[in-house]
Amino acid sequence: MPGPHYAISEAFIVLAAIWSTIFLSRTGHRLAALGCAIFGCAAAIGVYRFGAGEISELAGFHKDFSQIGGSIAMALISAQFLLAEPLVNRTAVGRWAIWAAVIVSAMFACAVPTLTTPLFIIWLSVAIIAAALIPASTIAGRLSLAALVSVFLINLLLIRQSPQLGPDLSWHLFHILVALWLLAIVYIFEYRRSDGEAAIQDDIPAVTKCD
């Protein structure tokens, strides 16, 4: 049975989620901020569950919240990526389509819990593609942004419940990588915001002094 030490890596997610939520909220990325907050809430349940010794009592609630909440959180973060794309955000139809997709996805996640994993993977894939479309000076730059988002997919497939690593190490490593992923999301949105501001500055004609 998992021991109290399982709460340690969960706490890393809580701290990363708090910082990410505050930063993204202040920069106007409120959907992504809400998604990070949900990840943080799921981890906070884990901290209490293992720290307070209610490992068996809260197992079901922790699992359900993590799966359903994680699916909704990923949808929100992916939606923020999509809304940052000019082709999507240019029209009201595009914006409403994204909102509708998130709402429908959340309803399915709550009504049919078995769909949470497929929905999570779908939204994560959308986020990876959207990150690859973020303007960058080189193709390698775009791929690096997509790779940062892909860390979660690699984490799910290779680290979580890995028989080679064992339950304890895979648990802690999985949650540490989730915490780092949340920080990477902040970096990606900040990169896009800074790059956009730089592009605007480049479009402003230089003012020369006339004698």
Side-chain angles (χ1 to χ4, degrees):
M1 179 178 291
H5 65 91
Y6 273 46
I8 298 174
S9 55
E10 294 270 19
F12 288 137
I13 298 179
V14 174
L15 294 175
I18 291 174
W19 187 84
S20 300
T21 300
I22 293 173
F23 191 96
L24 290 170
S25 297
R26 289 178 176 176
T27 55
H29 301 99
R30 293 181 178 83
L31 289 182
L34 179 58
C36 291
I38 294 175
F39 276 119
C41 288
I45 294 172
V47 171
Y48 178 80
R49 173 191 170 196
F50 297 110
E54 298 187 22
I55 299 174
S56 300
E57 294 82 353
L58 291 177
F61 177 67
H62 186 200
K63 178 182 177 181
D64 292 341
F65 190 95
S66 296
Q67 291 182 342
I68 297 173
S71 175
I72 296 174
M74 187 58 69
L76 291 167
I77 293 173
S78 299
Q80 188 75 77
F81 274 119
L82 291 174
L83 290 173
E85 291 299 322
L87 291 178
V88 176
N89 197 31
R90 185 174 299 168
T91 63
V93 174
R95 295 191 295 271
W96 280 109
I98 298 302
W99 276 104
V102 171
I103 293 171
V104 171
S105 177
M107 291 173 61
F108 271 110
C110 294
V112 189
T114 55
L115 292 178
T116 54
T117 299
L119 288 171
F120 186 95
I121 297 298
I122 290 171
W123 282 112
L124 177 56
S125 300
V126 170
I128 293 171
I129 295 172
L133 296 177
I134 293 175
S137 57
T138 63
I139 295 178
R142 291 189 175 189
L143 292 178
S144 65
L145 296 178
L148 287 175
V149 183
S150 301
V151 166
F152 210 130
L153 182 60
I154 296 171
N155 201 16
L156 281 174
L157 297 177
L158 301 180
I159 304 300
R160 183 174 180 268
Q161 297 180 346
S162 170
Q164 289 78 20
L165 297 174
D168 291 351
L169 181 58
S170 63
W171 176 278
H172 290 304
L173 186 56
F174 173 77
H175 287 103
I176 290 172
L177 288 176
V178 171
L180 293 175
W181 183 84
L182 290 172
L183 299 179
I185 292 300
V186 174
Y187 167 79
I188 294 171
F189 279 113
E190 183 63 11
Y191 175 92
R192 193 189 190 289
R193 187 174 70 90
S194 300
D195 187 70
E197 291 177 352
I200 293 174
Q201 291 296 325
D202 290 340
D203 289 338
I204 298 175
V207 178
T208 58
K209 181 179 178 181
C210 298
D211 294 330

